[in-house]
Amino acid sequence: MDKKRVYTFGNGQAEGKADMRNLLGGKGANLAEMNLIGVPVPPGFTITTEVCSEYYELGKDKVVELLKADVEKAIANIENLMNSKFGDVENPLLVSVRSGARASMPGMMDTILNLGLNDEVVEGLSRKTGRPRFAWDSYRRFVQMYGDVVLGMKPVNKEDIDPFEEIIEKVKEEKGVKLDNELEVEDLKELVKRFKVAVKEQTGQDFPTCAYEQLWGAICAVFRSWMNERAILYRKMEGIPAEWGTAVNVQAMVFGNMGETSGTGVAFTRNPSTGAKGIYGEYLINAQGEDVVAGIRTPQPITKLEQDLPECYKQFMEIAMKLEAHYRDMQDMEFTIENGKLFFLQTRNGKRTAQAALQIACDLVDEGMITPQEAVTRIEAKSLDQLLHPTFDPEALKAGEVIGQALPASPGAAAGKVYFTAEDAKQAHEQGERVVLVRLETSPEDIEGMHASEGILTVRGGMTSHAAVVARGMGTCCVSGCGDIAINEDDKVFELGGHTFHEGDYISLDGSTGKIYKGDIKTMEASVSGNFGRIMDWADQYRKLQVRTNADTPQDAANAV
Ligand code: ADP
Ligand code: MG
């Protein structure tokens, strides 16, 4: 039998489920699962990650041929459930085309909304809904997204201006308005017209009018986006293999931009930076898709939805709690309200800080949702390092001036007065000063001075230099190999980033990023709270390994114990 490439979902049924994320991607697997547990989700289908690999092996035409019958059948299924027809003028079905890999790669690949519109369909949509502004707003967004993503209108360089944005600015100027939502129907029509001219000029092609032609273009663009520069870079950073591929999700559109009883938002079931219990998120009334994150208008905190649309809020909270209980972890969700009707568009286990991870794991144990053993496995060991070192006060850091960048040799944040010899550093420390030791490079004689310092900055040496290795051993912040520094150790002076520093002047170092700041930036001690201790106690119960440490000095030995 031929292998299955397309998995449908909708109306409480799904061919996929949560544990099929390798095949369906995280988004597709969870869209299926949400259907199975009775969460309202617009119907759609997922094309598997395996087809992404086939796309790169066989090319576009062959893949379209392989998918054609299944995709047409799956579209017919959506048409049935939505009681509308793809490409029809009077009763059109519009869809979104969304990427979704195994591991979440937020914002790394491209999404297209409102697909299925053309000059006739937009008029039909306008008649059907009685909302011409909504119809034309959707159309102009579609032409823009499709032009950018599928037809390659988006400039490769981020610094270059998107031709569509340029047109929008021009039209707003001509109209004397400031905000996108002040544009009227006639202006939106004008935008679409000029967008299409720009497409023709730049690509030599007409904007596609056939719904299926649009759909195939968009599906293949999602596969292509797997290999775009952003995505490749992100995978490299996160260690995600290129072979995994992305799935494609095609889903009936629901509209948050239908007026004052519509809206869209994103929310977490708990606070992702602190882990505190309670819903946390934002929404916008009368908006679509990315508007919330795009920063065009200021979103409202999610709790205000209770006043705007109380029924929706109640339902939203019930479903959010249901999802958290089902996945037994903090959820990061996307939702849209169309004319007072709530839909979920995505859920996933939310990304969180190390501090939040501890808080959430402990709370979930207390709430009886997970076992202590599971709690331990929920903590990324690497992230705990964040908690064991001082950090800069985020407010104070905003005002800090970066004067140089070198290697992040040993984590933590440090601020203090500059001293150029280990002896001077030690003496200043004994006088109660906070000290940053600045050396061409360190040597074993410097140990005591290094110990007395909040942080160490060296001009030479890499991540394995003496300074770096010793500093890591001591748990002291170190930034190494700052070749931009012009130092005169005899005169006790150095220059960096256009500033001159003498003995006793303040600098600050971030050993986690390698950044060097001018002045005395406030730091905060590592807060190893009760949660950390609890997790560690649990870890002790379940661990199978013994821990040994390497200590060179009496202090090291004491630390190790
Ligand atoms: P990303 O992976 O970058 O979050 P998404 O595919 O989730 O991209 O979609 C981007 C935005 O578009 C999200 O806000 C999502 O909720 C919205 N969106 C996607 N599909 C639909 C749809 N069928 N109806 C309404 N909004 C949608
Ligand atoms: Mg999303």
Side-chain angles (χ1 to χ4, degrees):
M1 206 191 89
D2 200 19
K3 81 170 153 206
K4 188 168 171 60
R5 295 187 174 82
V6 174
Y7 288 72
T8 61
F9 56 83
N11 206 19
Q13 302 194 339
E15 293 178 314
K17 56 181 162 53
D19 65 10
M20 290 168 70
R21 67 183 302 137
N22 290 359
L23 190 63
L24 302 179
K27 200 179 286 169
N30 286 336
L31 286 169
E33 186 79 5
M34 283 197 285
N35 268 284
L36 295 176
I37 63 171
V39 174
V41 173
F45 59 89
T46 304
I47 304 173
T48 68
T49 54
E50 290 174 358
V51 181
C52 187
S53 305
E54 289 182 317
Y55 175 87
Y56 285 101
E57 277 161 38
L58 308 173
K60 176 173 174 167
D61 293 345
K62 183 72 189 157
V63 159
V64 171
E65 191 186 309
L66 283 172
L67 286 172
K68 195 163 183 290
D70 293 343
V71 164
E72 282 172 4
K73 213 168 114 196
I75 287 280
N77 182 50
I78 306 180
E79 290 173 337
N80 272 336
L81 295 173
M82 295 297 286
N83 200 13
S84 56
K85 207 162 162 40
F86 193 50
D88 190 70
V89 172
E90 290 312 320
N91 184 21
L93 166 69
L94 304 188
V95 297
S96 67
V97 178
R98 324 170 64 187
S99 63
R102 249 197 241 191
S104 111
M105 299 172 62
M108 286 302 124
M109 294 178 289
D110 296 306
T111 299
I112 295 152
L113 303 178
N114 309 329
L115 187 142
L117 285 168
N118 63 28
D119 289 352
E120 286 81 48
V121 174
V122 70
E123 294 295 356
L125 184 67
S126 166
R127 284 191 292 274
K128 177 182 164 185
T129 57
R131 294 178 178 274
R133 191 181 189 287
F134 150 76
W136 281 92
D137 181 48
S138 304
Y139 191 26
R140 95 69 204 156
R141 287 166 188 268
F142 168 60
V143 176
Q144 185 171 355
M145 280 187 262
Y146 196 91
D148 275 337
V149 177
V150 183
L151 305 177
M153 297 286 287
K154 186 154 59 188
V156 183
N157 273 328
K158 268 209 216 100
E159 294 75 42
D160 296 343
I161 304 160
D162 180 311
F164 298 124
E165 290 301 331
E166 213 170 0
I167 294 171
I168 295 175
E169 284 315 309
K170 189 109 195 299
V171 169
K172 281 201 284 198
E173 207 182 290
E174 288 169 17
K175 282 278 148 184
V177 302
K178 284 221 166 64
L179 299 173
D180 289 11
N181 56 6
E182 292 169 322
L183 293 171
E184 289 162 21
V185 174
E186 289 312 311
D187 309 328
L188 296 169
K189 286 185 182 174
E190 182 61 26
L191 280 182
V192 169
K193 205 166 111 196
R194 294 196 200 177
F195 282 180
K196 287 187 177 170
V197 172
V199 167
K200 179 85 186 185
E201 268 174 20
Q202 197 169 318
T203 68
Q205 289 167 19
D206 287 317
F207 192 90
T209 54
C210 161
Y212 268 105
E213 189 187 340
Q214 293 173 353
L215 180 61
W216 290 117
I219 289 171
C220 291
V222 170
F223 288 143
R224 256 195 340 259
S225 73
W226 178 250
M227 286 294 177
N228 77 25
E229 229 172 280
R230 265 182 305 163
I232 291 173
L233 202 73
Y234 187 86
R235 284 201 294 274
K236 218 179 201 169
M237 271 163 38
E238 300 287 315
I240 299 170
E243 302 82 68
W244 281 7
T246 179
V248 183
N249 301 290
V250 178
Q251 193 174 19
M253 281 304 301
V254 286
F255 300 101
N257 55 339
M258 278 251 212
E260 296 306 307
T261 56
S262 301
T264 186
V266 294
F268 295 84
T269 54
R270 297 168 196 244
N271 185 316
S273 46
T274 65
K277 267 189 235 184
I279 200 85
Y280 179 91
E282 294 177 327
Y283 72 101
L284 273 174
I285 288 291
N286 198 8
Q288 183 168 61
E290 313 277 63
D291 290 0
V292 176
V293 278
I296 303 165
R297 282 187 278 153
T298 310
Q300 304 281 345
I302 189 83
T303 41
K304 187 155 177 294
L305 187 63
E306 190 165 17
Q307 291 149 43
D308 281 350
L309 298 167
E311 271 309 305
C312 283
Y313 181 74
K314 191 164 158 269
Q315 196 196 358
F316 169 79
M317 287 301 285
E318 278 168 17
I319 295 173
M321 292 308 112
K322 178 175 179 166
L323 286 170
E324 185 179 89
H326 184 71
Y327 287 99
R328 301 187 310 131
D329 200 355
M330 184 262 273
Q331 295 298 295
D332 167 0
M333 304 157 297
E334 291 173 4
F335 65 95
T336 284
I337 298 164
E338 176 181 311
N339 282 331
K341 199 164 173 328
L342 175 67
F343 296 91
F344 275 65
L345 288 159
Q346 193 172 340
T347 194
R348 62 182 165 217
N349 296 341
K351 288 208 194 314
R352 64 204 75 179
T353 62
Q355 189 199 348
L358 291 175
Q359 184 71 48
I360 291 169
C362 287
D363 285 347
L364 291 181
V365 171
D366 293 340
E367 291 161 34
M369 225 184 271
I370 61 175
T371 64
Q373 197 161 5
E374 283 173 301
V376 174
T377 64
R378 294 283 176 88
I379 312 290
E380 220 186 311
K382 203 172 65 186
S383 73
L384 289 180
D385 204 36
Q386 281 178 32
L387 296 173
L388 300 173
H389 298 279
T391 50
F392 285 120
D393 179 291
E395 281 306 309
L397 192 60
K398 276 186 203 155
E401 181 192 342
V402 178
I403 52 170
Q405 167 80 56
L407 300 171
S410 176
K417 289 185 178 174
V418 169
Y419 286 91
F420 292 87
T421 69
E423 187 53 33
D424 291 344
K426 192 176 149 222
Q427 277 175 16
H429 174 70
E430 281 161 5
Q431 305 294 315
E433 306 269 20
R434 282 177 291 119
V435 175
V436 172
L437 179 63
V438 182
R439 303 282 287 152
L440 205 53
E441 58 196 339
T442 60
S443 62
E445 300 85 69
D446 293 332
I447 293 279
E448 267 189 292
M450 294 172 77
H451 222 280
S453 302
E454 309 293 313
I456 298 152
L457 172 61
T458 69
V459 181
R460 293 196 204 132
M463 304 282 286
T464 54
S465 63
H466 176 266
V469 172
V470 173
R472 281 199 295 272
M474 297 190 307
T476 300
C477 160
C478 176
V479 173
S480 69
C482 185
D484 293 339
I485 291 183
I487 191 170
N488 185 332
E489 288 188 310
D490 296 335
D491 292 348
K492 300 186 176 175
V493 61
F494 77 87
E495 280 174 26
L496 179 64
H499 299 280
T500 305
F501 296 88
H502 296 94
E503 186 179 89
D505 290 343
Y506 277 103
I507 63 167
S508 302
L509 305 177
D510 188 333
S512 309
T513 63
K515 286 197 165 57
I516 304 157
Y517 299 85
K518 183 169 172 280
D520 184 13
I521 300 177
K522 193 173 159 212
T523 60
M524 302 189 309
E525 271 313 302
S527 59
V528 174
S529 61
N531 292 326
F532 186 75
R534 283 185 82 190
I535 295 279
M536 283 315 186
D537 282 346
W538 289 330
D540 280 343
Q541 290 171 36
Y542 303 113
R543 74 191 157 95
K544 298 205 174 72
L545 290 176
Q546 296 290 318
V547 177
R548 285 163 209 276
T549 73
N550 176 349
D552 302 329
T553 65
Q555 281 102 322
D556 278 2
N559 259 343
V561 172

